[in-house]
Coordinates of all heavy atoms in Angstrom, one line a residue:
D15 N 0.8 -1.2 0.0 CA 0.0 0.0 0.0 C 0.9 1.3 0.0 O 2.1 1.2 0.0 CB -1.0 0.0 1.2 CG -0.3 -0.2 2.5 OD1 0.9 0.1 2.6 OD2 -0.9 -0.5 3.4
A16 N 0.2 2.4 0.1 CA 0.9 3.7 -0.1 C 2.0 3.9 1.0 O 3.1 4.3 0.8 CB -0.1 4.8 -0.1
L17 N 1.5 3.6 2.3 CA 2.4 3.9 3.4 C 3.7 3.0 3.3 O 4.8 3.5 3.5 CB 1.7 3.6 4.7 CG 2.5 3.8 6.0 CD1 2.9 5.3 6.1 CD2 1.8 3.3 7.2
L18 N 3.5 1.8 2.9 CA 4.6 0.8 2.8 C 5.5 1.3 1.7 O 6.7 1.2 1.8 CB 4.0 -0.6 2.5 CG 5.0 -1.7 2.9 CD1 5.2 -1.7 4.4 CD2 4.4 -3.0 2.5
A19 N 5.0 1.8 0.6 CA 5.8 2.3 -0.5 C 6.7 3.5 0.0 O 7.8 3.5 -0.4 CB 4.9 2.8 -1.6
V20 N 6.1 4.3 0.8 CA 6.9 5.5 1.3 C 8.0 5.0 2.2 O 9.2 5.4 2.1 CB 6.0 6.4 2.1 CG1 6.8 7.5 2.9 CG2 5.0 7.1 1.2
V21 N 7.7 4.0 3.1 CA 8.7 3.4 4.0 C 9.8 2.8 3.2 O 11.0 2.9 3.4 CB 8.0 2.4 4.9 CG1 9.1 1.6 5.7 CG2 7.1 3.1 5.9
A22 N 9.4 2.0 2.1 CA 10.4 1.3 1.3 C 11.3 2.3 0.6 O 12.5 2.1 0.5 CB 9.7 0.4 0.3
R23 N 10.7 3.3 0.1 CA 11.5 4.3 -0.6 C 12.5 5.0 0.4 O 13.7 5.2 0.0 CB 10.6 5.4 -1.3 CG 11.4 6.2 -2.3 CD 10.5 7.3 -2.8 NE 10.0 8.2 -1.7 CZ 8.8 8.8 -1.7 NH1 8.0 8.7 -2.8 NH2 8.5 9.6 -0.7
D24 N 12.0 5.3 1.6 CA 12.9 5.9 2.6 C 14.0 5.0 2.9 O 15.2 5.4 3.1 CB 12.1 6.3 3.8 CG 11.3 7.5 3.7 OD1 11.4 8.2 2.6 OD2 10.6 7.9 4.6
A25 N 13.7 3.7 3.0 CA 14.7 2.7 3.4 C 15.8 2.6 2.3 O 16.9 2.5 2.6 CB 14.0 1.3 3.6
V26 N 15.4 2.7 1.1 CA 16.3 2.6 0.0 C 17.3 3.8 0.1 O 18.5 3.7 -0.1 CB 15.6 2.6 -1.4 CG1 16.6 2.8 -2.5 CG2 14.9 1.2 -1.6
E27 N 16.7 5.0 0.3 CA 17.5 6.2 0.4 C 18.5 6.1 1.6 O 19.6 6.4 1.5 CB 16.6 7.4 0.6 CG 16.0 7.9 -0.7 CD 15.0 8.9 -0.5 OE1 14.9 9.5 0.6 OE2 14.2 9.2 -1.5
L28 N 18.0 5.5 2.7 CA 18.8 5.4 3.9 C 20.0 4.4 3.6 O 21.1 4.6 4.1 CB 18.0 4.8 5.1 CG 17.1 5.8 5.7 CD1 16.2 5.1 6.7 CD2 17.8 6.9 6.4
L29 N 19.7 3.4 2.9 CA 20.7 2.3 2.6 C 21.9 2.8 1.8 O 22.9 2.2 1.7 CB 20.1 1.1 2.0 CG 19.2 0.3 2.9 CD1 18.5 -0.8 2.2 CD2 20.0 -0.2 4.1
T30 N 21.7 4.0 1.1 CA 22.8 4.6 0.3 C 23.6 5.5 1.2 O 24.6 6.1 0.7 CB 22.2 5.3 -0.9 OG1 21.4 6.4 -0.5 CG2 21.4 4.3 -1.7
D31 N 23.1 5.8 2.4 CA 23.8 6.8 3.3 C 24.6 6.0 4.3 O 23.9 5.4 5.2 CB 22.8 7.7 3.9 CG 23.4 8.7 4.8 OD1 24.6 8.5 5.3 OD2 22.8 9.7 5.2
P32 N 25.9 5.9 4.3 CA 26.7 5.1 5.2 C 26.4 5.5 6.7 O 26.4 4.6 7.6 CB 28.1 5.4 4.9 CG 28.1 6.0 3.5 CD 26.8 6.6 3.4
G33 N 26.3 6.8 6.9 CA 26.0 7.2 8.3 C 24.7 6.7 8.8 O 24.6 6.2 10.0
A34 N 23.7 6.8 8.0 CA 22.3 6.3 8.4 C 22.3 4.8 8.5 O 21.7 4.2 9.4 CB 21.3 6.8 7.4
R35 N 23.0 4.1 7.6 CA 23.1 2.7 7.6 C 23.6 2.1 8.9 O 23.2 1.1 9.4 CB 23.9 2.2 6.4 CG 23.6 0.8 6.0 CD 24.2 0.4 4.6 NE 25.5 1.0 4.4 CZ 26.0 1.2 3.2 NH1 25.4 0.8 2.2 NH2 27.2 1.7 3.1
A36 N 24.6 2.8 9.5 CA 25.2 2.4 10.7 C 24.2 2.5 11.9 O 24.4 1.8 12.9 CB 26.4 3.2 11.0
L37 N 23.2 3.3 11.7 CA 22.2 3.4 12.8 C 21.0 2.6 12.6 O 20.1 2.6 13.4 CB 21.8 4.9 12.9 CG 22.9 5.9 13.3 CD1 22.4 7.3 13.2 CD2 23.5 5.6 14.6
L38 N 20.9 1.9 11.4 CA 19.8 1.1 11.1 C 19.6 -0.1 12.0 O 20.6 -0.9 12.2 CB 19.8 0.7 9.6 CG 18.5 0.3 9.0 CD1 17.6 1.5 8.9 CD2 18.8 -0.1 7.5
R39 N 18.5 -0.3 12.6 CA 18.3 -1.4 13.5 C 16.9 -2.0 13.1 O 16.0 -1.4 12.6 CB 18.2 -0.9 14.9 CG 19.4 -0.2 15.5 CD 20.4 -1.1 16.0 NE 21.5 -0.4 16.6 CZ 22.5 0.2 15.9 NH1 22.5 0.0 14.6 NH2 23.5 0.8 16.5
Q40 N 16.8 -3.3 13.6 CA 15.5 -4.0 13.4 C 14.9 -4.1 14.8 O 15.5 -4.4 15.7 CB 15.7 -5.3 12.8 CG 14.4 -6.0 12.4 CD 14.6 -7.2 11.6 OE1 15.4 -8.0 11.9 NE2 13.8 -7.4 10.5
C41 N 13.6 -3.8 14.8 CA 12.9 -3.8 16.1 C 12.9 -5.1 16.7 O 12.7 -6.2 16.0 CB 11.4 -3.3 15.8 SG 10.4 -3.3 17.3
E42 N 13.0 -5.2 18.0 CA 13.0 -6.5 18.7 C 11.6 -6.9 19.2 O 11.5 -7.9 19.9 CB 13.9 -6.4 20.0 CG 15.4 -6.2 19.6 CD 16.3 -6.3 20.8 OE1 15.8 -6.7 21.9 OE2 17.5 -5.8 20.7
G43 N 10.6 -6.1 18.9 CA 9.3 -6.4 19.3 C 8.7 -7.6 18.7 O 9.1 -8.0 17.6
D44 N 7.9 -8.3 19.5 CA 7.2 -9.5 19.0 C 6.4 -9.2 17.8 O 5.7 -8.2 17.8 CB 6.3 -10.1 20.0 CG 7.1 -10.8 21.1 OD1 8.3 -11.1 20.9 OD2 6.6 -11.0 22.2
N45 N 6.5 -10.0 16.7 CA 5.7 -9.8 15.5 C 5.9 -8.4 14.9 O 5.1 -7.9 14.2 CB 4.2 -9.9 15.8 CG 3.9 -11.3 16.4 OD1 4.4 -12.3 16.0 ND2 3.1 -11.3 17.5
C46 N 7.1 -7.8 15.1 CA 7.4 -6.5 14.5 C 8.8 -6.6 13.9 O 9.7 -6.9 14.6 CB 7.3 -5.4 15.5 SG 7.7 -3.8 14.8
R47 N 8.9 -6.4 12.6 CA 10.2 -6.5 12.0 C 10.5 -5.2 11.3 O 11.2 -5.1 10.3 CB 10.2 -7.7 10.9 CG 10.1 -9.0 11.6 CD 11.4 -9.3 12.3 NE 11.3 -10.5 13.2 CZ 11.0 -10.5 14.4 NH1 10.7 -9.4 15.0 NH2 10.9 -11.6 15.1
R48 N 10.0 -4.1 11.9 CA 10.2 -2.8 11.4 C 11.7 -2.4 11.6 O 12.3 -2.7 12.5 CB 9.3 -1.8 12.1 CG 8.4 -1.0 11.1 CD 7.5 -0.1 11.9 NE 6.4 -0.9 12.4 CZ 5.4 -0.3 13.2 NH1 5.4 1.0 13.4 NH2 4.4 -1.0 13.6
L49 N 12.1 -1.6 10.6 CA 13.5 -1.1 10.7 C 13.3 0.4 11.2 O 12.4 1.0 10.9 CB 14.2 -1.0 9.3 CG 14.4 -2.4 8.7 CD1 14.9 -2.3 7.3 CD2 15.4 -3.2 9.6
Y50 N 14.3 0.8 12.0 CA 14.3 2.2 12.5 C 15.7 2.7 12.6 O 16.7 1.9 12.6 CB 13.6 2.2 13.8 CG 14.3 1.5 14.9 CD1 15.2 2.1 15.7 CD2 14.0 0.1 15.1 CE1 15.9 1.4 16.7 CE2 14.7 -0.6 16.1 CZ 15.6 0.0 16.9 OH 16.3 -0.7 17.9
L51 N 15.8 4.0 12.8 CA 17.1 4.6 13.0 C 17.3 4.8 14.5 O 16.5 5.4 15.1 CB 17.2 5.9 12.2 CG 17.4 5.9 10.7 CD1 17.5 7.3 10.2 CD2 18.6 5.1 10.4
D52 N 18.4 4.2 15.0 CA 18.7 4.4 16.4 C 19.5 5.7 16.6 O 20.7 5.7 16.5 CB 19.5 3.2 16.9 CG 19.7 3.3 18.4 OD1 19.2 4.3 19.0 OD2 20.3 2.3 19.0
T53 N 18.7 6.7 16.8 CA 19.4 8.0 17.0 C 19.5 8.4 18.5 O 19.8 9.5 18.9 CB 18.6 9.1 16.3 OG1 17.2 9.1 16.7 CG2 18.6 9.0 14.8
S54 N 19.2 7.4 19.3 CA 19.2 7.6 20.8 C 20.6 7.7 21.3 O 21.6 7.2 20.7 CB 18.5 6.4 21.5 OG 19.3 5.2 21.4
R55 N 20.8 8.4 22.4 CA 22.1 8.5 23.0 C 22.6 7.1 23.4 O 21.9 6.4 24.1 CB 22.0 9.4 24.2 CG 23.4 10.0 24.6 CD 23.2 10.7 25.9 NE 22.1 11.7 25.9 CZ 22.2 12.9 26.5 NH1 23.2 13.2 27.1 NH2 21.2 13.7 26.4
G56 N 23.8 6.8 23.1 CA 24.4 5.5 23.5 C 23.9 4.4 22.5 O 24.4 3.2 22.6
H57 N 23.0 4.7 21.6 CA 22.5 3.7 20.7 C 22.0 2.4 21.3 O 22.4 1.3 20.9 CB 23.6 3.4 19.6 CG 24.1 4.6 18.9 ND1 23.2 5.5 18.3 CD2 25.3 5.2 18.9 CE1 23.9 6.5 17.8 NE2 25.1 6.3 18.1
R58 N 21.2 2.5 22.3 CA 20.8 1.3 23.0 C 19.3 1.1 22.9 O 18.7 0.3 23.6 CB 21.1 1.5 24.5 CG 22.6 1.5 24.8 CD 22.9 1.6 26.2 NE 22.4 0.4 27.0 CZ 22.5 0.3 28.3 NH1 23.0 1.2 29.0 NH2 22.0 -0.7 28.9
R59 N 18.7 1.8 21.9 CA 17.3 1.7 21.6 C 17.1 0.3 21.0 O 17.9 -0.3 20.3 CB 16.9 2.7 20.6 CG 15.4 2.9 20.4 CD 15.2 4.1 19.6 NE 13.9 3.9 18.9 CZ 13.5 4.7 17.9 NH1 14.2 5.7 17.5 NH2 12.3 4.4 17.3
R60 N 16.0 -0.3 21.4 CA 15.7 -1.7 20.9 C 14.4 -1.8 20.1 O 14.1 -2.9 19.5 CB 15.5 -2.6 22.1 CG 16.9 -2.7 22.9 CD 16.6 -3.5 24.2 NE 16.0 -4.8 24.0 CZ 15.5 -5.5 24.9 NH1 15.5 -5.1 26.2 NH2 15.0 -6.7 24.7
W61 N 13.6 -0.8 20.1 CA 12.3 -0.9 19.4 C 12.1 0.3 18.4 O 12.6 1.4 18.6 CB 11.2 -0.9 20.4 CG 11.3 -2.0 21.4 CD1 11.2 -3.4 21.2 CD2 11.7 -1.9 22.8 NE1 11.4 -4.1 22.3 CE2 11.8 -3.2 23.3 CE3 12.1 -0.9 23.6 CZ2 12.1 -3.5 24.6 CZ3 12.4 -1.1 24.9 CH2 12.4 -2.4 25.4
C62 N 11.2 0.0 17.5 CA 10.8 1.0 16.5 C 10.1 2.2 17.2 O 10.3 3.3 16.9 CB 10.0 0.5 15.4 SG 8.4 -0.2 16.0
S63 N 9.4 1.8 18.2 CA 8.6 2.8 19.0 C 8.6 2.3 20.5 O 8.0 1.3 20.8 CB 7.2 3.0 18.5 OG 6.4 3.6 19.4
S64 N 9.1 3.1 21.4 CA 9.1 2.7 22.8 C 7.6 2.8 23.3 O 7.3 2.1 24.2 CB 9.9 3.6 23.6 OG 9.5 5.0 23.5
E65 N 6.8 3.6 22.6 CA 5.4 3.7 23.1 C 4.6 2.4 22.7 O 3.7 2.0 23.4 CB 4.7 4.9 22.5 CG 5.1 6.2 23.1 CD 6.4 6.7 22.5 OE1 6.7 6.4 21.4 OE2 7.2 7.4 23.3
V66 N 5.0 1.8 21.6 CA 4.2 0.7 21.1 C 5.0 -0.6 21.4 O 4.6 -1.3 22.4 CB 4.0 0.8 19.6 CG1 3.2 -0.4 19.1 CG2 3.3 2.1 19.2
C67 N 6.1 -0.9 20.7 CA 6.8 -2.2 21.0 C 7.5 -2.2 22.3 O 7.5 -3.2 23.0 CB 7.8 -2.4 19.8 SG 6.9 -2.8 18.3
G68 N 8.1 -1.1 22.7 CA 8.8 -1.1 24.0 C 7.8 -1.3 25.1 O 8.1 -2.1 26.0
N69 N 6.7 -0.7 25.0 CA 5.7 -0.8 26.1 C 5.1 -2.2 26.1 O 4.9 -2.8 27.1 CB 4.5 0.2 25.9 CG 3.7 0.3 27.1 OD1 4.1 0.4 28.2 ND2 2.4 0.2 26.9
R70 N 4.9 -2.8 24.9 CA 4.4 -4.2 24.8 C 5.4 -5.1 25.4 O 5.0 -6.1 26.1 CB 4.2 -4.5 23.3 CG 3.3 -5.7 23.1 CD 3.3 -6.1 21.7 NE 2.7 -5.1 20.8 CZ 3.0 -5.0 19.5 NH1 3.9 -5.8 19.0 NH2 2.5 -4.1 18.8
E71 N 6.7 -4.9 25.2 CA 7.7 -5.8 25.7 C 7.7 -5.7 27.3 O 7.9 -6.7 28.0 CB 9.0 -5.4 25.1 CG 10.2 -6.1 25.8 CD 10.2 -7.6 25.7 OE1 9.5 -8.1 24.7 OE2 10.8 -8.3 26.5
R72 N 7.6 -4.5 27.8 CA 7.6 -4.3 29.2 C 6.4 -5.0 29.9 O 6.5 -5.7 30.9 CB 7.5 -2.8 29.6 CG 8.9 -2.1 29.6 CD 8.8 -0.8 30.2 NE 8.1 0.2 29.3 CZ 8.7 0.8 28.3 NH1 10.0 0.7 28.1 NH2 8.0 1.7 27.5
V73 N 5.2 -4.9 29.2 CA 4.0 -5.6 29.7 C 4.2 -7.1 29.7 O 3.9 -7.8 30.6 CB 2.8 -5.2 28.9 CG1 1.6 -6.1 29.2 CG2 2.5 -3.8 29.1
A74 N 4.8 -7.6 28.6 CA 5.1 -9.1 28.4 C 6.0 -9.6 29.5 O 5.9 -10.6 30.1 CB 5.6 -9.4 27.0
R75 N 7.1 -8.8 29.8 CA 8.1 -9.1 30.8 C 7.4 -9.2 32.1 O 7.7 -10.1 32.9 CB 9.2 -8.1 30.8 CG 10.5 -8.7 31.4 CD 11.5 -7.6 31.5 NE 11.7 -6.9 30.2 CZ 12.1 -5.6 30.1 NH1 12.3 -4.9 31.2 NH2 12.3 -5.0 29.0
H76 N 6.6 -8.2 32.4 CA 5.9 -8.2 33.7 C 5.0 -9.4 33.8 O 4.9 -10.0 34.9 CB 5.1 -6.9 33.8 CG 4.2 -6.8 35.0 ND1 4.8 -6.5 36.3 CD2 2.9 -7.1 35.3 CE1 3.8 -6.6 37.2 NE2 2.7 -6.9 36.6
R77 N 4.3 -9.8 32.7 CA 3.4 -10.9 32.8 C 4.2 -12.2 33.0 O 3.7 -13.1 33.7 CB 2.6 -11.0 31.4 CG 1.2 -11.4 31.6 CD 0.4 -11.4 30.3 NE 0.0 -10.1 30.0 CZ -0.1 -9.6 28.7 NH1 0.4 -10.3 27.7 NH2 -0.6 -8.4 28.5
R78 N 5.4 -12.3 32.3 CA 6.2 -13.5 32.5 C 6.6 -13.6 34.0 O 6.6 -14.7 34.6 CB 7.4 -13.5 31.6 CG 7.1 -13.9 30.2 CD 8.4 -14.3 29.5 NE 9.2 -13.1 29.3 CZ 9.1 -12.2 28.2 NH1 8.3 -12.5 27.3 NH2 9.9 -11.2 28.1
R79 N 7.0 -12.5 34.6 CA 7.5 -12.5 35.9 C 6.4 -12.9 36.9 O 6.6 -13.6 37.8 CB 8.1 -11.1 36.3 CG 9.1 -11.2 37.3 CD 9.7 -9.8 37.6 NE 10.4 -9.2 36.5 CZ 10.4 -7.9 36.2 NH1 9.7 -7.1 36.9 NH2 11.1 -7.5 35.2
A80 N 5.2 -12.4 36.6 CA 4.0 -12.7 37.4 C 3.7 -14.1 37.4 O 3.3 -14.7 38.4 CB 2.9 -11.8 37.0
A81 N 3.9 -14.7 36.1 CA 3.5 -16.2 36.0 C 4.5 -17.0 36.8 O 4.1 -18.0 37.4 CB 3.6 -16.5 34.5
V82 N 5.8 -16.6 36.8 CA 6.8 -17.4 37.5 C 6.5 -17.3 39.0 O 6.6 -18.2 39.7 CB 8.2 -16.8 37.2 CG1 9.3 -17.4 38.2 CG2 8.6 -17.2 35.7
A83 N 6.2 -16.1 39.4 CA 5.9 -15.8 40.9 C 4.7 -16.7 41.3 O 4.6 -17.2 42.4 CB 5.6 -14.4 41.1
A84 N 3.7 -16.8 40.4 CA 2.5 -17.5 40.7 C 2.8 -19.0 40.9 O 2.1 -19.7 41.7 CB 1.4 -17.3 39.6
R85 N 3.8 -19.5 40.1 CA 4.1 -20.9 40.2 C 4.9 -21.3 41.4 O 4.9 -22.4 41.9 CB 4.9 -21.3 38.9 CG 4.3 -22.4 38.1 CD 5.1 -22.7 36.9 NE 5.0 -21.6 35.9 CZ 6.0 -21.2 35.1 NH1 7.2 -21.8 35.1 NH2 5.9 -20.2 34.2
A86 N 5.7 -20.3 41.9 CA 6.5 -20.6 43.1 C 5.7 -20.8 44.4 O 4.6 -20.3 44.5 CB 7.5 -19.4 43.3
Ligands
LIG3 ZN1 8.4 -2.5 16.6

C-alpha cells in the first residue's frame, strides 16, 4: 500500500547513506520486523517505538515474571 511504499523508498535512500546505515536497526518487538534509525544517545534503543513495541515488551516481561511468581 501507499504507506509501505513510502517506507520502502525511505529505506532505499537510507541504505545509500553510510552514516544512516550504521544506525539502522531492526525492532526487537514480537511480531514486529520494522526497521528504524537508532538516534538515541548510546545507541541502546531496541524498538521502532518505545510507546508501542517497547511498552508491549515491558508488559510481556511483567506478565512472565508474574507467571513465575504464581508458580513458586
Ligand atoms: Zn516494533
Side-chain angles (χ1 to χ4, degrees):
D15 56 19
L17 180 64
L18 204 62
V20 170
V21 170
R23 197 186 55 209
D24 283 356
V26 168
E27 281 171 14
L28 286 171
L29 290 174
T30 63
D31 178 344
R35 198 164 44 198
L37 297 176
L38 201 62
R39 301 274 185 278
Q40 190 168 44
C41 180
E42 292 185 16
D44 287 342
N45 304 317
C46 181
R47 291 293 169 266
R48 233 176 284 180
L49 296 172
Y50 64 91
L51 283 182
D52 186 358
T53 53
S54 67
R55 199 188 308 216
H57 305 301
R58 295 182 61 183
R59 193 172 150 190
R60 295 171 56 195
W61 303 289
C62 60
S63 162
S64 59
E65 286 80 29
V66 180
C67 289
N69 194 48
R70 197 189 295 152
E71 171 62 23
R72 275 190 290 273
V73 170
R75 200 187 307 150
H76 175 79
R77 218 177 277 143
R78 278 197 295 271
R79 207 180 294 144
V82 169
R85 240 178 288 146

